[in-house]
Amino acid sequence: MPYSNIKPFLSIFLIFSCSLTAQAQSYFYTTIKAPLAEFIVSAINGGSENRVADADDQTEGIGFTTGYAFKIEPNFFNEVGFDYLALNKAVRTSYKNETRLENTNSVFAFQTKPTYRPSISADDDVFLTVGMSINYQKIYSEGNFNSGKSSSYSADKKQGNWFVNTQPNLGIEFIGDRKIGYRFGVSYARYNWTKVENRLFYKNAPDLVAEPHITSNLFFSGGFIF
């Protein structure tokens, strides 16, 4: 990874690290997130689709986030860590042309998330969280293209450039007697996978340009703070 590419985001980490002091209410966190809208649509459709002509399958993926939160001001924190999304997949099948294109993607990001975190209980053990994740991220993509007419198969892997992606978050946290808490929330994320997928090269289809693959989804998350 070229240092010049990552330097802007490292500067953000350095600024926050130098300007913040560790306080008693700082905490570590770890969460797992899954696509909420995808599950709802699947339940409404009964988990099945009527495939008569061309078929497009899409899976949003599963995410994992971990890091450390610093207290900035009363009720204001900044969470700094890493965010990883894996198992994003798009399958485009053309029964007419006897072709199948499958793309699998993942995203790795350095994340900073300014968060408003007020107590909403008399005992200060339940907190509302409203934040904005700022991700400096890179998309990784691999693809498989199969042409049944020529019985040929080709695969390739690529990675994109570093860029900034923002994701709003809303959640709630419950703190236990031992200061170990549970957190649940909803976040919105939008990814343009097309920029990396169209860099893939297939020997059996050198001029192939895939249909746009852009996803916008709500993610439900659950995890711990300690």
Side-chain angles (χ1 to χ4, degrees):
M1 174 194 317
Y3 174 69
S4 59
N5 289 343
I6 198 172
K7 184 168 59 175
F9 203 79
L10 288 180
S11 299
I12 295 176
F13 274 85
L14 182 60
I15 291 172
F16 276 110
S17 299
C18 293
S19 62
L20 302 175
T21 56
Q23 302 185 30
Q25 290 183 318
S26 298
Y27 55 88
F28 290 96
Y29 64 91
T30 182
T31 60
I32 295 176
K33 61 182 180 181
L36 178 63
E38 188 172 292
F39 292 153
I40 294 176
V41 171
S42 179
I44 293 175
N45 292 337
S48 62
E49 299 179 8
N50 182 21
R51 305 181 179 209
V52 178
D54 291 356
D56 290 340
D57 289 340
Q58 184 169 291
T59 301
E60 187 69 33
I62 301 295
F64 174 79
T65 304
T66 188
Y68 186 71
F70 298 90
K71 184 178 179 182
I72 304 174
E73 296 287 346
N75 300 331
F76 284 93
F77 289 75
N78 186 65
E79 298 184 351
V80 179
F82 304 95
D83 183 64
Y84 182 69
L85 180 71
L87 303 179
N88 173 274
K89 181 178 289 188
V91 179
R92 305 171 182 88
T93 302
S94 173
Y95 296 111
K96 179 180 179 180
N97 298 323
E98 298 183 21
T99 60
R100 185 177 189 273
L101 173 63
E102 179 177 333
N103 293 114
T104 303
N105 307 299
S106 61
V107 182
F108 175 79
F110 297 98
Q111 182 182 88
T112 179
K113 184 171 73 173
T115 302
Y116 177 57
R117 187 177 179 261
S119 172
I120 57 174
S121 68
D123 296 329
D124 288 335
D125 56 359
V126 182
F127 295 85
L128 175 71
T129 62
V130 181
M132 176 66 74
S133 299
I134 305 171
N135 288 5
Y136 189 57
Q137 64 187 32
K138 175 177 284 193
I139 292 177
Y140 300 83
S141 181
E142 57 182 284
N144 300 314
F145 182 77
N146 184 50
S147 176
K149 289 184 176 181
S150 59
S151 299
S152 61
Y153 172 88
S154 181
D156 194 16
K157 296 182 180 180
K158 285 288 187 299
Q159 57 180 290
N161 298 321
W162 290 95
F163 66 97
V164 175
N165 181 277
T166 57
Q167 302 175 7
N169 303 264
L170 176 65
I172 189 169
E173 298 176 350
F174 303 91
I175 309 301
D177 295 336
R178 297 182 179 181
K179 303 302 180 183
I180 297 177
Y182 302 92
R183 62 177 0 187
F184 303 94
V186 176
S187 61
Y188 171 80
R190 182 181 185 275
Y191 297 100
N192 185 350
W193 311 98
T194 310
K195 293 181 179 180
V196 183
E197 289 180 351
N198 278 337
R199 293 183 180 183
L200 298 171
F201 176 78
Y202 308 100
K203 293 181 180 179
N204 55 351
D207 298 324
L208 176 67
V209 177
E211 294 293 326
H213 181 199
I214 301 174
T215 60
S216 299
N217 214 329
L218 291 175
F219 283 83
F220 174 77
S221 63
F224 301 92
I225 59 175
F226 50 94

